[in-house]
Amino acid sequence: MALDPLPLTLTNLLLRSGFRGRRAPDRAFDRLLAAAGPAEGDERFTADFRHLLRCWAAADRLTPVGWLSARGHVGRHLANRARIRRLLAAHPEIEREPVERPVFVVGLPRTATTLTHGILSLSGEHRCPLLWELLTPGLDDDPAEHEKAITTARRLVGGINLFSPGFRHIHNLRPEGPEECTFALPHTVMPLSQAVIPEYLPWHETHDFGADYRYLKQIYQVLQYGRPRRRWVLKSPLHLENLDALRAVFPDATIVWTHRDPATAVASFCSLVEHGMAVNTRPLDLHWIGATWLELLARSARRGLAARAGIPRESLVDVPYSWLGADPAAGAPKLYAAVGARWTEADAARLPAVAARPRGTRVHSYDLARYGLTRADVDTAFADYNALRAEADRA
C-alpha cells in the first residue's frame, strides 16, 4: 500500500482530537441538525440520516478525515433538505414547475455514463445540473449565495484532488461542470465507497426510494424555477437499481442505458472506490472492496433488469460502449436521434472537447485480480445482464 499523501497525513493528525466525537454520534448529529435548521414534520428523513451517521461512526478503520467526511455528507444533506423545504413553503408554485420528458442516463458505473451525459449536455435545448448546484441547490436570485455555492464545490474538488491525487484520472470532477444525481439523492450505496459499514446494507436493501425521488424532483424544480425551461438530462449509475421508483415520479422519462463488459466495469469501479476510500479508511481491504462491490453492482443489474420489463420500448435507449467509446463522432448523432433530440453542427463542433481526455489526466489502469476477483466471478454474477448486453451490441 502506498504511503498517504503528506496533506492527508497532516490533516489526520490535526483532526485527532475531534475524532473522539464519533463515540457519541447522536450528539454529533444533533449539532448538524441544529445547524441545518428546523425539521418539524420531517422526522422520517432526519431519522434515516441519524441511522446512517451511527453506522458510519462504528465503521472499522475509519480515519479522522473519514469521520469529518461522514459529518460533512450528513450535514450537507440535512442543510439542503431544510433549504428546499423553506423555498417550497415560501414559493409553493415551485412544485408546479413541469419536469417534462427528462432523460436519465443509467447503467453500471464505468460504462461511459459520464461521456454520454457530457455529449447530451452539448445541446442548448438541454439542461444538466452542475456540481455546485447539486451540492447547494437553491434559487438563482442572490449573487453572493451563488458565489458561495461555487466556492463550496471548488473546495470539495480541491480537497479530493489534494488527498487522493489519482482520483481525477478516473473521474474528473469539475465544480461548474455537469454532474450526476448521486450528489442530490438522499440515500445511495455510495457511503460504502467511503467506509466499511456493513450495518448500512440491510437498511438500504429495504428502503423505499419513492420519497427520495420525489425529493429529487423538487430539487430540479427549484433549480428550474425562474430560469429558462429546457429538457433535463440527468445521470447516475445508481439509478439502475431504482428504476421503478424513478419512473413512478418521472413517468415520461427516457431511460438511456449504457452497456459495457461487466468485467471491465467492475475492475474500473473497484479502482475508483479504492482511490476514494483510501482518504477515509486505513488500511484498506482490497478484497473487501471487490467482494462488496461485485455483489452491489450485480444486485443493481438484477433490479434494473426486473424493472426493464415495465418500461415502454419507446422510452428505453440501449447504448453499447462502442457507440461513444470507440467513435463518438459517429455515435453522438445516433444517441441524439434515439432520445428525440436535434444534433446540430454547433454540437458537433463542441464534441471533441467533451470526448477528449481531460487535460492533465492519464490513462486509468486496473485489474480484477487486485480485488480478489476473476472474470469467472464476474461472468457468473452478471450472467443475465451479459445476455442483454450481447443483444444491445448486435442491435
Side-chain angles (χ1 to χ4, degrees):
M1 181 65 64
L3 294 176
D4 289 349
L6 182 59
L8 179 59
T9 299
L10 293 176
T11 304
N12 273 318
L13 288 173
L14 290 171
L15 293 175
R16 285 182 67 180
S17 60
F19 192 40
R20 291 190 293 269
R22 76 169 180 151
R23 299 173 187 168
D26 282 342
R27 189 181 306 161
F29 182 86
D30 289 339
R31 286 196 292 267
L32 295 171
L33 187 58
E40 289 82 3
D42 212 15
E43 287 78 12
R44 180 73 269 164
F45 186 91
T46 55
D48 287 344
F49 272 100
R50 184 183 293 276
H51 175 71
L52 173 58
L53 192 64
R54 286 172 178 168
C55 292
W56 219 320
D60 189 27
R61 301 188 297 278
L62 191 69
T63 66
V65 166
W67 178 234
L68 179 69
S69 297
R71 287 177 290 144
H73 175 95
V74 171
R76 176 171 62 82
H77 279 286
L78 293 176
N80 286 343
R81 176 73 161 201
R83 185 185 314 105
I84 295 297
R85 282 165 55 86
R86 289 195 299 269
L87 290 173
L88 295 180
H91 307 279
E93 65 273 16
I94 288 176
E95 288 197 270
R96 295 195 291 274
E97 283 287 328
V99 179
E100 297 176 331
R101 299 171 50 248
V103 175
F104 280 88
V105 179
V106 308
L108 292 172
R110 315 304 297 165
T111 57
T113 55
T114 298
L115 177 59
T116 303
H117 191 222
I119 289 174
L120 287 170
S121 76
L122 291 171
S123 173
E125 298 175 358
H126 293 165
R127 169 78 157 94
C128 296
L130 308 180
L131 178 58
W132 70 267
E133 294 178 308
L134 293 166
L135 291 173
T136 316
L139 300 182
D140 192 21
D141 59 354
D142 186 332
E145 289 299 316
H146 178 110
E147 187 57 35
K148 182 180 177 181
I150 293 177
T151 299
T152 297
R154 288 172 179 162
R155 286 175 177 166
L156 174 71
V157 174
I160 292 172
N161 291 338
L162 182 66
F163 290 160
S164 181
F167 190 89
R168 68 190 183 94
H169 303 300
I170 308 172
H171 183 73
N172 187 44
L173 291 166
R174 293 181 296 132
E176 297 174 71
E179 256 305 333
E180 59 186 48
C181 306
T182 306
F183 289 96
L185 269 173
H187 301 291
T188 71
V189 291
M190 289 314 291
L192 290 159
S193 71
Q194 305 297 312
V196 180
I197 45 176
E199 298 84 357
Y200 180 61
L201 266 176
W203 178 92
H204 186 272
E205 289 173 353
T206 59
H207 180 62
D208 179 2
F209 285 91
D212 291 52
Y213 280 90
R214 289 190 291 273
Y215 173 54
L216 185 68
K217 181 177 180 180
Q218 289 175 335
I219 288 175
Y220 293 131
Q221 287 173 318
V222 165
L223 292 177
Q224 180 172 280
Y225 182 68
R227 299 161 171 134
R229 290 177 182 170
R230 292 175 285 163
R231 189 183 188 187
W232 282 99
V233 176
L234 308 165
K235 169 248 179 177
S236 175
L238 304 186
H239 290 317
L240 187 60
E241 68 175 359
N242 296 321
L243 290 178
D244 285 339
L246 184 157
R247 294 193 66 254
V249 176
F250 303 96
D252 59 347
T254 295
I255 306 299
V256 174
W257 188 333
T258 59
H259 299 283
R260 191 183 190 185
D261 178 6
T264 301
V266 169
S268 179
F269 188 69
C270 284
S271 177
L272 177 71
V273 170
E274 177 187 351
H275 281 76
M277 198 171 193
V279 175
N280 303 288
T281 302
R282 300 300 275 185
L284 290 179
D285 182 343
L286 299 182
H287 286 199
W288 181 90
I289 290 175
T292 298
W293 283 99
L294 175 64
E295 172 53 33
L296 288 175
L297 296 178
R299 185 190 75 177
S300 176
R302 290 193 299 269
R303 289 184 174 181
L305 288 171
R308 182 184 174 96
I311 302 176
R313 191 66 193 90
E314 63 273 15
S315 299
L316 183 62
V317 178
D318 288 305
V319 179
Y321 191 79
S322 58
W323 269 28
L324 302 174
D327 187 1
K334 291 195 296 184
L335 172 65
Y336 269 59
V339 302
R342 296 186 307 120
W343 178 251
T344 67
E345 291 184 4
D347 300 330
R350 291 192 296 271
L351 176 62
V354 171
R357 179 174 300 283
R359 181 178 299 176
T361 62
R362 59 175 181 265
V363 174
H364 177 210
S365 60
Y366 41 83
D367 180 14
L368 274 174
R370 179 172 175 80
Y371 307 100
L373 301 175
T374 66
R375 170 170 278 279
D377 294 331
V378 179
D379 286 345
T380 298
F382 289 90
D384 291 340
Y385 170 73
N386 274 327
L388 168 66
R389 181 176 63 87
E391 182 181 334
D393 286 342
R394 290 191 298 267

